[in-house]
Amino acid sequence: SQQGEEDPQALSIQEGENATMNCSYKTSINNLQWYRQNSGRGLVHLILIRSNEREKHSGRLRVTLDTSKKSSSLLITASRAADTASYFCATDAGSGNTPLVFGKGTRLSVIA
Amino acid sequence: DAGVIQSPRHEVTEMGQEVTLRCKPISGHNSLFWYRQTMMRGLELLIYFNNNVPIDDSGMPEDRFSAKMPNASFSTLKIQPSEPRDSAVYFCASRGGGRGPAFFGQGTRLTVV
């Protein structure tokens, strides 16, 4: 079963606006990761946040993690048309080299 | 490094035929994952290997699917016989030791007619 569930399923905004995507998960995690997928391409890792971290920044990306609510959010500030893509959260749970479990993603459209 | 390499990029085959998808992980990575992506079901984990050993194949849909990793630099996913409902994009990903990110190939778009 899928661990992460993104919300909303689709989001359309104007260039320059901020985009916020949310992810909820069910079990305890070691870390949570966000990925981006352009149409017809593979997923690309964006940012990783560990279970003992609450917030992380990378360029125009800001990720928060609330382990008590089992949720995370990805904020893209000052969006650009090139940010148009699908965004996925993935949870890393358990011990050893366990796999990442992905949600169904949020399709973001940034209109120029 | 060229990243994770998958072949072929596109495959169109007739129902009942055998299909073999190939993956070359990033050198030095010790974990390899096969995922399937469809609009309806999203990204599903099919099977994953650690150090060339299959760890969990519970995501493999049925016995028609099989995967091998004969060495650290090569893996195959085989479907025999293929069915139209197998049509999807199949991704291979690899990951180094520890709990870092996974690196994905460009995927194989499979169409079974």
Side-chain angles (χ1 to χ4, degrees):
Chain A
S1 63
Q2 289 176 326
Q3 170 77 301
E5 293 293 335
E6 292 89 345
D7 170 59
Q9 291 187 347
L11 179 61
S12 184
I13 60 174
Q14 296 289 326
E15 203 167 33
E17 294 180 339
N18 295 342
T20 299
M21 289 158 272
N22 303 297
C23 171
S24 60
Y25 58 92
K26 297 175 182 173
T27 63
S28 62
I29 59 171
N30 177 281
N31 66 67
L32 184 143
Q33 304 179 23
W34 285 91
Y35 288 75
R36 165 189 170 131
Q37 183 181 33
N38 286 74
S39 180
R41 309 297 293 271
L43 280 73
V44 175
H45 178 260
L46 294 176
I47 194 166
L48 180 154
I49 186 165
R50 293 183 172 77
S51 60
N52 61 353
E53 298 176 312
R54 292 297 168 259
E55 187 171 312
K56 203 161 183 180
H57 297 254
S58 177
R60 293 185 296 113
L61 305 180
R62 173 178 169 253
V63 169
T64 62
L65 179 64
D66 187 335
T67 53
S68 66
K69 295 181 179 178
K70 292 187 169 57
S71 68
S72 173
S73 67
L74 171 68
L75 169 67
I76 304 174
T77 60
S79 64
R80 306 165 181 169
D83 294 329
T84 295
S86 291
Y87 293 82
F88 296 84
C89 69
T91 51
D92 180 2
S95 60
N97 211 336
T98 50
L100 295 169
V101 181
F102 289 82
K104 288 191 175 182
T106 293
R107 291 189 307 279
L108 174 65
S109 298
V110 181
I111 302 167
Chain B
D1 197 321
V4 177
I5 300 173
Q6 290 186 246
S7 64
R9 289 292 311 275
H10 302 273
E11 177 81 30
V12 180
T13 190
E14 291 185 346
M15 183 174 62
Q17 295 298 307
E18 177 180 297
V19 175
T20 299
L21 311 181
R22 297 174 175 80
C23 175
K24 176 178 167 52
I26 292 173
S27 177
H29 281 188
N30 62 348
S31 292
L32 183 141
F33 310 91
W34 283 100
Y35 290 90
R36 178 172 69 175
Q37 187 177 37
T38 61
M39 287 295 293
M40 289 294 293
R41 301 175 67 88
L43 199 62
E44 303 173 275
L45 176 67
L46 300 177
I47 185 171
Y48 75 99
F49 297 83
N50 275 359
N51 297 315
N52 313 337
V53 176
I55 302 302
D56 185 356
D57 66 354
S58 60
M60 298 284 260
E62 46 198 274
D63 292 346
R64 298 184 297 107
F65 286 69
S66 63
K68 294 182 180 179
M69 192 165 185
N71 57 62
S73 59
F74 184 64
S75 177
T76 59
L77 177 68
K78 185 176 294 186
I79 308 172
Q80 166 64 18
S82 58
E83 297 182 2
R85 59 192 168 121
D86 301 332
S87 297
V89 181
Y90 290 81
F91 287 103
C92 174
S94 70
R95 192 180 187 187
R99 318 204 74 85
F103 293 83
F104 281 73
Q106 293 300 318
T108 295
R109 181 174 295 277
L110 173 66
T111 304
V112 183
V113 297

